[in-house]
Each structure stands twice: as C-alpha cells, then as structure tokens.
Amino acid sequence: MLEVTYWEPTDTVDSHNPMKYVNEKFIKVTLNGTVEDKIKLDSVQLTIRQLIHQKDTTLGIEFTFTNNAKYSSVVRLFNLCKIEGARTYLNHENKLWVFNVSFSPTSLPNTPNPNSYIEL
C-alpha cells in the first residue's frame, strides 16, 4: 500500500511554495495515454535513480498528464518514485514533479543541499 498526500497551494505560504524550485533544468515528460507512455515510464525509472544520486538540488523531473493519460500511468509513477527512493515528489492538478531536494514541514533554509530539508 502507498499512502499519497496531494499538495494544495492554498495550504502553504507563498514564500514556502515548493514550485519555486521548478526550473528550466527539470526534465519534461508528457504522458498522453499512448503506448509510448510505457516506454517513457520505463526510461524514467533509471532517470529517477540517477537523479537522487546527484548533488545538484536544482535538478528534477516534471511530468504533465494530458486529458488522455491513463490513471495506471499515474499510479506507476508514484510506485517508481517509491521504489527508487525519490526524496520528494509532488502532485498537483495535471502535473507531478520529482525534486532532488527534501521538504520538511517547519522552516526554509537559505541554501538547500541534498542533506538538508526544505521545510514548508
């Protein structure tokens, strides 16, 4: 069993918004409900594995689910994040981001690093 908690932007203060960590360095993947989604998800597993071993906390992956994307792809993506030990992944509306930084619920350090928590 995998417990999933969805992020709601209205529950966080703007200064502690995890979206400020999404940037142009993020790998962009679109899942649209075609057979290509399986191929994309197969390759993403390795990408997530490589991501979590990087020291650069500005890296990440942004997934976009089109209206035709399959729910099974969303579930598989959550499972891949858990299997590969992704520190932080966040789903909101039609997006899911895998961050190379950890979020924790109390404060925000000035400079994130892979061994620190960014607290919301």
Side-chain angles (χ1 to χ4, degrees):
M1 180 166 74
L2 176 66
E3 181 178 329
V4 176
T5 303
Y6 285 85
W7 175 64
E8 175 52 50
T10 58
D11 291 342
T12 58
V13 178
D14 287 338
S15 64
H16 297 114
N17 186 334
M19 295 295 79
K20 72 181 186 178
Y21 295 96
V22 176
N23 64 66
E24 69 282 346
K25 290 183 176 181
F26 273 50
I27 296 168
K28 309 276 194 267
V29 179
T30 300
L31 299 171
N32 55 22
T34 66
V35 293
E36 294 170 358
D37 286 2
K38 182 186 179 328
I39 296 165
K40 290 177 187 178
L41 289 169
D42 286 344
S43 80
V44 158
Q45 184 167 8
L46 177 60
T47 304
I48 293 170
R49 185 177 307 147
Q50 292 169 338
L51 174 69
I52 65 171
H53 294 292
Q54 297 293 318
K55 293 185 188 252
D56 187 349
T57 58
T58 65
L59 301 175
I61 308 168
E62 177 182 277
F63 295 91
T64 302
F65 303 99
T66 67
N67 289 338
N68 294 324
K70 306 241 185 279
Y71 182 70
S72 60
S73 293
V74 177
V75 171
R76 180 158 181 227
L77 188 51
F78 276 115
N79 283 332
L80 290 176
C81 288
K82 182 176 180 181
I83 289 166
E84 294 304 329
R87 288 182 283 235
T88 303
Y89 41 99
L90 173 71
N91 179 242
H92 181 64
E93 296 179 354
N94 70 328
K95 302 270 189 182
L96 187 139
W97 296 272
V98 180
F99 295 93
N100 193 31
V101 66
S102 297
F103 296 101
S104 164
T106 55
S107 70
L108 187 64
N110 292 331
T111 308
N113 70 56
N115 297 318
S116 70
Y117 284 93
I118 295 175
E119 301 178 352
L120 300 176

